[in-house]
């Protein structure tokens, strides 16, 4: 059974983003007041990063490195395409994107450029908490490690101790993926894949 990448490797994954925390010249922390805003909650819960600035936050969520956030990147940042959001209506998801653009997209071009984000932050504008959670946008492996393994297990955990429902579901998905890969390998070794032949051309 495949156990997956342990959190030790995850630390190396997050290292570049940690280094980004002090990039640029605007070192204003994302925390403001006693209650953390949504961006701070997102970084703490989703990335386990607490020491960073607005420039680092923008860069981390500029998924295509274009120096701007598109509507799709806003959706991804808020985790709107994650399976946990399957019951959230498209109207609500569109509202998240629309309101975020209204706050930061000062030239109304449908994107949030880095300069717009930085100017907005310095002016006191913040990402709204729409009540949809911290924004899951990692793959299944990452989400399992960050939200379950690191909370309830450690590097000393044995395979037989991974008995939580989240562990079982995680490994079930891996087993299904491995079975599908093995099946595909078998098909690739066959000179002719019968099920790919249209019914009318098959001979029995």
């Amino acid at each position: 059974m495949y156990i997956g990448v342990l959190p030790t490797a995850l630390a190396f994954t997050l290292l570049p983003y940690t280094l980004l925390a002090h990039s640029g010249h605007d070192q204003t922390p994302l925390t403001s007041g006693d209650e953390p805003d949504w961006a701070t909650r997102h970084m703490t819960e989703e990335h386990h990063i607490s020491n960073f600035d607005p420039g680092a936050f923008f860069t981390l969520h500029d998924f295509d490195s274009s120096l701007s956030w598109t509507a799709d990147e806003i959706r991804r940042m808020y985790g709107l395409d994650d399976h946990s959001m399957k019951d959230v209506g498209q109207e609500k998801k569109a509202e998240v994107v629309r309101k975020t653009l209204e706050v930061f997209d000062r030239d109304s071009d449908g994107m949030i450029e880095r300069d717009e984000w930085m100017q907005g932050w310095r002016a006191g504008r913040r990402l709204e908490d729409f009540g949809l959670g911290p924004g899951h946008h990692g793959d299944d492996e990452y989400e399992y490690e960050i939200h379950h393994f690191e909370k309830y297990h450690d590097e000393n955990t044995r395979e037989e101790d991974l008995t939580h429902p989240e562990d079982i579901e995680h490994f079930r998905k891996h087993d299904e993926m491995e079975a599908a890969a093995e099946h595909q390998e078998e098909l690739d070794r066959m000179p002719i894949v019968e099920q790919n032949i249209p019914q009318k051309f098959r001979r029995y």
Side-chain angles (χ1 to χ4, degrees):
M1 181 179 292
Y2 177 82
I3 297 182
V5 182
L6 295 178
T8 302
L10 182 61
F12 289 98
T13 302
L14 294 178
L15 180 59
Y17 304 136
T18 305
L19 295 177
L20 282 172
H22 299 290
S23 63
H25 300 290
D26 194 324
Q27 296 295 318
T28 306
L30 282 176
T31 53
S32 56
D34 296 330
E35 292 296 324
D37 64 350
W38 183 86
T40 301
R41 178 189 172 199
H42 170 78
M43 291 294 278
T44 302
E45 295 187 22
E46 277 298 299
H47 300 287
H48 288 188
I49 299 175
S50 58
N51 183 22
F52 54 91
D53 57 43
F57 183 93
F58 185 92
T59 299
L60 177 58
H61 298 94
D62 180 14
F63 299 108
D64 62 1
S65 302
S66 63
L67 298 181
S68 63
W69 288 347
T70 63
D72 286 343
E73 286 174 307
I74 295 171
R75 285 177 61 96
R76 182 175 173 184
M77 175 179 65
Y78 272 102
L80 301 182
D81 297 322
D82 186 77
H83 64 84
S84 63
M85 294 288 107
K86 65 181 185 303
D87 295 327
V88 177
Q90 291 303 317
E91 183 176 341
K92 179 65 174 180
K93 293 179 179 180
E95 176 191 346
V96 172
V97 174
R98 175 176 55 78
K99 287 190 173 181
T100 303
L101 288 171
E102 287 175 355
V103 172
F104 290 98
D105 180 20
R106 309 317 291 172
D107 59 6
S108 301
D109 64 351
M111 297 184 295
I112 301 173
E113 283 78 22
R114 189 179 191 280
D115 288 343
E116 291 177 318
W117 163 258
M118 298 300 291
Q119 290 171 11
W121 182 265
R122 286 191 287 266
R125 294 191 288 272
R126 299 293 184 264
L127 291 171
E128 183 174 342
D129 186 342
F130 294 94
L132 300 177
H136 304 313
H137 57 67
D139 59 20
D140 288 343
E141 193 72 39
Y142 178 87
E143 294 294 340
Y144 167 73
E145 289 173 357
I146 205 84
H147 293 295
H148 182 75
F149 195 99
E150 289 193 355
K151 287 183 178 180
Y152 303 105
H153 308 300
D154 58 28
E155 66 274 9
N156 298 315
T157 300
R158 300 170 300 174
E159 182 176 336
E160 55 265 32
D161 296 329
L162 298 173
T163 58
H164 296 166
E166 294 85 353
D167 301 320
I168 294 171
E169 176 64 14
H170 178 72
F171 296 135
R172 183 189 65 77
K173 289 182 180 179
H174 274 295
D175 290 342
E176 289 180 351
M177 292 171 60
E178 290 178 359
E182 291 173 359
H183 179 63
Q184 186 60 52
E185 288 179 3
E186 292 177 1
L187 294 179
D188 292 342
R189 288 195 294 268
M190 296 173 60
I192 298 177
V193 181
E194 182 177 341
Q195 53 263 47
N196 289 342
I197 302 174
Q199 188 70 32
K200 64 180 179 180
F201 295 119
R202 297 186 186 183
R203 294 180 180 178
Y204 297 96

